[in-house]
Each structure stands twice: as C-alpha cells, then as structure tokens.
Amino acid sequence: MRIRFWTRIDSINEAGQAPLNCYVIVNKVKCPDFSVDLMIPVEAWDSKKQQVNEWHSLASVLNQKINFIRIRLMQIEMQLSLQGEVTAKMVKEKFFDEYKNKKKETIVKADKFLLIDELPLFYKEARQPLGISNNTGKNDNSIITNIKQFLKETDRLKIEVGQVDLEFVKYFNLYMKKRKKPAQQVHINRHVAYLRQMLDFSVSEKKIKYNPLAGLRLACNYEENPEGFEPDDIQKIKDISRHFMSELQVKVRDIFLFMMGTGMDFCDYQQRTDQDLYREKSFYWLKYTRQKTITYKRPKGLMADTMLLPDAVEVMLNYGSLSAMPDCTLNEFNEQIKAIYKLSNIRRRDLEKISSKLCRKTYANLQSNYQGFSDESVAYLMGHTTTKHIKKYRKYKKQRVLNELKK
C-alpha cells in the first residue's frame, strides 16, 4: 500500500493555506482523493518529504497529525487484510467513517475558546515543545502578561479567539504606546507576531476557519543599522573625556567597547568568568556557552570561541581581569549608551537607536571587512553553526576588496 498527500492549490484561503488531501494505492489500484481536514501553509509544504518544512512555526504540530493519519491508514489496511481481500476504496471508507464519528464526538462550542485562556495554552502546547530558549520563554510569558493586562483594562476578557482582527491589533497598538512607560514599535510587533502565530495554531486545531492576521504587515518606525560601528566611530567613543560622563556612563562605555571587541550578547557578558579566558598564539580567546542557544532540546547550548580584538583586550587589562569588569542592568546599558552616543562626535542617523544588539553586528563587520575572515570563520568565533546570521550581521565594504588585492 502507498499513501500520498497533496495540497489543493486551487483552494488557498486568505492565510495562504490549502486543504490537505490524501489518496491510497493498494495493489496498484488508486482510490478517489479524500480530505483529511487539515489546512497546510502552501509555501512550507514539501511534497517530496510529504511534510511541512521545519522552519515553519507549526511544523511539529502539523507533521504529528500527518504521521498519525498515515499510521492509522496502515493499521486499517492491516486489519482488513486479515479479514480477506482489501482494496484502496475499503481503506478510505473505513478511515472516513471513523473520522466522521470522532468529529461528532469532539464538537465544542466556539464560545469556550476565549483568548485569555488560549494564550497560555498555545505557549504550553505549541511554543514550548519546539525547543525555545530560556530567554524566549521569559519573553513569551511577558507577552502573555501584557496582552492579558490589555484585555482587563479594555473590558475584553470575554473576547473569543475568532474575534481577534485588525481592529483589535489597532487598539492594542495604541494601548502599548500610551502606557506610563510607552513601548517601542519593535516590542509591540513581537506581541502581534505572537498573536498571529497563536491564530495559525487555532486554525490547525479547527477552532477558527482562517487567520485574519495572516496578511498583516507589521509597522516599523525606524531602520536598524545592519552594519554596526566602524573603527572611526569606535575611536570617537573612546575619545570622550571622563569629565563629561558620570561614573555609570564610564562603566557602560567600557562594557560596550568590550562587547564590540568580542561579539558577546549582553546575557553572555553577565555570565562571564575568568575560566573562559585563555591565550593562544599571542591572542586572547574567550570560550563560553551562548545563553540564547540554551533550549529544551539543546540544554547545553552552543559554544562560542571568540578572539578578542585589541579594544576589548585593552579594556579588560585596565580592570585587571575579566571577572573584575563592571556590571549593570540591560535597561541601564541601553539607556546610558544612548547618552554616550550623544556625547560623541558621531553623526549617523542610523545609529540613533543604538542598543546592545549592535555589538555582535559590529564584531562581525570588523572581522569580515578589516580582518578579512571568511563567513565560516566568523560563524565559528561567534558561536553559530551556519553562516545564515553572519550574512545578516555584516555588509561587505571596499576595505575587504582592498585587503584581498594586497594578498
């Protein structure tokens, strides 16, 4: 017996999803196609592997259901073969009868699918099993808390999942911007993206027919610099006199210079120890486990083996050791680094939204364009298994071409 699935491209809905059909072949005789009552994202469907590509957020959920259907069809064929001759039509009819009876038994009223109940349920059943990192898990809990607070303050506690639409997103956007501590658009977008993923999951679970947020374009009120700081920019930050900075700003500047010279995330900097530092061939190296890659499926995380740039070495030696370097909170860091940027002579509009995220981009840019390292080498230094993220961090400059000409 052969089992094949295919998507009905002629029936794509507004969310870009198509019904999944199946047909069975027994003894080279094919039965008529039948629907398995699953909506599949067309762009993520792999017809050769007969599954949803892993990069899609609902791949694990949908693939589990497809595998269950495949296994059940095989079980039915085996049961019928024990009773006598079996045909593809017989397998289809028995499977279809079972499905209709099961569907009648599991009908639930739509008014029970309240958004405030579905948010944590989605995190538990769909997001958590995907192997998200600890930081992502904390962010998810924060998102759920903020959305619940919005529902309470706007008297929407009884809103159903199917009632979440573009109008709902519009009011949520205004709410987040008018709070005592207004949220940035990027932060709001994370909440909206979470809602969109939850609605995709609700579609796959047959709780709603389609996702009204599927075609939503998330707003962005600034363009984040993809290149990071240039050597001249870094020198201007170093040249700021201590007389113009507070004690906290001096510490933040040193942390910022060290992170740009190592490519560390702020969460990794907070976990630093002297045991991670070593010397090899007159260079300082830092070998550590990246916190952002620690997930449920990868509890040990990925290792970064970073070569320290001269600025990072200079800052570290000024304090005597790695563990003796200063500490601060992430909010303090992002707030003070903006003030430091204003004190410098740097005048680049794309750096006005400066934050800790630019440190890794700066490191990748410096190593690629000024040191001449390949993407594979930079990926190793920064603790990536592929060059996918490196290509986003750096942008080739003329300096890279000139360095290659010298060779």
Side-chain angles (χ1 to χ4, degrees):
M1 182 178 74
R2 288 186 60 202
I3 302 169
R4 295 290 295 176
F5 296 94
W6 62 282
T7 53
R8 291 186 55 188
I9 302 179
D10 59 328
S11 301
I12 299 178
N13 63 15
E14 297 178 11
Q17 300 168 330
L20 187 67
N21 275 24
C22 175
Y23 63 82
V24 178
I25 302 175
V26 177
N27 297 327
K28 298 183 179 181
V29 179
K30 174 184 171 183
C31 74
D33 299 353
F34 59 94
S35 173
V36 296
D37 207 16
L38 277 180
M39 297 298 291
I40 302 294
V42 176
E43 76 282 358
W45 176 249
D46 190 330
S47 59
K48 291 184 179 179
K49 295 182 179 180
Q50 292 282 282
Q51 64 179 19
V52 179
N53 284 319
E54 293 182 358
W55 55 262
H56 195 272
S57 59
L58 297 176
S60 62
V61 176
L62 294 172
N63 289 333
Q64 284 179 6
K65 293 185 176 183
I66 292 171
N67 288 333
F68 174 79
I69 293 170
R70 185 182 289 109
I71 292 170
R72 186 55 194 145
L73 286 169
M74 294 172 65
Q75 290 175 343
I76 291 173
E77 189 272 340
M78 187 178 296
Q79 292 172 358
L80 292 174
S81 63
L82 294 175
Q83 299 174 7
E85 187 176 353
V86 58
T87 64
K89 185 178 179 181
M90 293 168 62
V91 174
K92 171 202 166 182
E93 289 177 349
K94 184 169 179 58
F95 174 82
F96 208 63
D97 289 342
E98 286 184 359
Y99 171 74
K100 285 193 295 184
N101 292 333
K102 186 177 179 181
K103 191 172 183 180
K104 289 179 181 178
E105 294 174 358
T106 57
I107 290 178
V108 183
K109 291 184 179 180
D111 57 3
K112 291 186 178 180
F113 300 131
L114 297 179
L115 178 60
I116 198 168
D117 297 329
E118 291 296 308
L119 284 167
L121 190 64
F122 165 66
Y123 170 69
K124 183 178 179 181
E125 293 188 1
R127 291 278 288 175
Q128 199 174 39
L130 292 176
I132 59 177
S133 68
N134 294 332
N135 286 329
T136 302
K138 292 178 182 177
N139 290 338
D140 281 355
N141 286 325
S142 175
I143 288 171
I144 292 172
T145 301
N146 288 337
I147 296 176
K148 283 185 174 181
Q149 189 65 29
F150 165 72
L151 296 176
K152 290 178 181 178
E153 293 186 13
T154 58
D155 196 23
R156 287 182 170 89
L157 287 175
K158 294 186 178 180
I159 189 172
E160 301 169 16
V161 176
Q163 294 175 325
V164 177
D165 54 12
L166 297 177
E167 194 73 14
F168 178 89
V169 172
K170 176 182 175 182
Y171 284 116
F172 178 74
N173 194 38
L174 291 173
Y175 165 81
M176 294 293 285
K177 288 182 177 180
K178 292 184 177 181
R179 295 192 306 175
K180 290 183 179 180
K181 189 175 181 181
Q184 294 184 359
Q185 189 62 54
V186 173
H187 187 58
I188 299 172
N189 287 350
R190 293 196 188 107
H191 290 67
V192 177
Y194 189 92
L195 281 171
R196 187 164 58 185
Q197 291 175 359
M198 192 210 71
L199 292 178
D200 276 337
F201 180 73
S202 298
V203 171
S204 68
E205 292 292 309
K206 304 300 177 186
K207 295 178 180 178
I208 55 177
K209 292 183 179 180
Y210 70 96
N211 182 356
L213 304 184
L216 176 65
R217 297 289 182 183
L218 299 178
C220 187
N221 55 2
Y222 72 91
E223 294 182 2
E224 189 173 355
N225 174 47
E227 303 170 24
F229 286 81
E230 295 295 318
D232 292 342
D233 301 326
I234 297 174
Q235 187 60 46
K236 289 177 182 179
I237 291 178
K238 292 174 64 177
D239 290 341
I240 303 174
S241 174
R242 286 174 171 260
H243 298 293
F244 298 104
M245 294 190 295
S246 65
E247 184 178 348
L248 177 59
Q249 288 174 343
V250 172
K251 292 180 180 180
V252 169
R253 180 181 64 175
D254 290 341
I255 295 172
F256 190 60
L257 291 171
F258 181 82
M259 288 172 60
M260 286 193 293
T262 57
M264 298 182 77
D265 281 308
F266 190 81
C267 57
D268 294 325
Y269 175 80
Q270 291 177 313
Q271 302 294 326
R272 70 195 182 282
T273 62
D274 288 330
Q275 297 177 351
D276 298 335
L277 189 69
Y278 68 97
R279 293 198 70 176
E280 184 176 329
K281 293 186 177 181
S282 72
F283 291 101
Y284 281 94
W285 297 77
L286 195 60
K287 195 167 187 177
Y288 61 93
T289 302
R290 295 187 57 222
Q291 297 296 313
K292 285 194 172 183
T293 62
I294 297 175
T295 67
Y296 301 101
K297 293 183 179 179
R298 192 193 296 123
K300 292 184 179 180
L302 296 176
M303 294 297 297
D305 195 2
T306 302
M307 182 179 71
L308 275 66
L309 294 177
D311 289 334
V313 175
E314 181 183 348
V315 171
M316 181 185 68
L317 294 180
N318 286 339
Y319 284 93
S321 66
L322 184 62
S323 59
M325 289 189 63
D327 287 303
C328 67
T329 66
L330 181 58
N331 288 335
E332 287 176 338
F333 181 89
N334 287 329
E335 182 180 347
Q336 296 302 325
I337 200 61
K338 291 179 176 64
I340 293 171
Y341 170 78
K342 292 179 181 179
L343 291 174
S344 70
N345 292 322
I346 305 171
R347 293 298 176 263
R348 286 171 53 184
R349 293 186 63 184
D350 56 352
L351 290 178
E352 291 178 357
K353 295 291 183 178
I354 183 176
S355 69
S356 63
K357 293 182 179 180
L358 287 180
C359 294
R360 286 179 71 78
K361 294 184 178 183
T362 299
Y363 185 80
N365 176 52
L366 295 176
Q367 295 288 35
S368 296
N369 291 308
Y370 297 94
Q371 301 295 332
F373 289 169
S374 65
D375 286 351
E376 289 76 14
S377 296
V378 179
Y380 169 79
L381 294 172
M382 300 180 68
H384 286 290
T385 55
T386 68
T387 60
K388 176 182 176 182
H389 290 87
I390 304 304
K391 288 179 170 60
K392 293 181 179 180
Y393 288 155
R394 62 100 183 101
K395 184 176 181 181
Y396 279 139
K397 302 258 182 205
K398 188 176 182 179
Q399 184 64 41
R400 175 66 180 261
V401 179
L402 294 175
N403 289 339
E404 292 183 0
L405 285 174
K406 291 178 182 179
K407 297 178 183 178

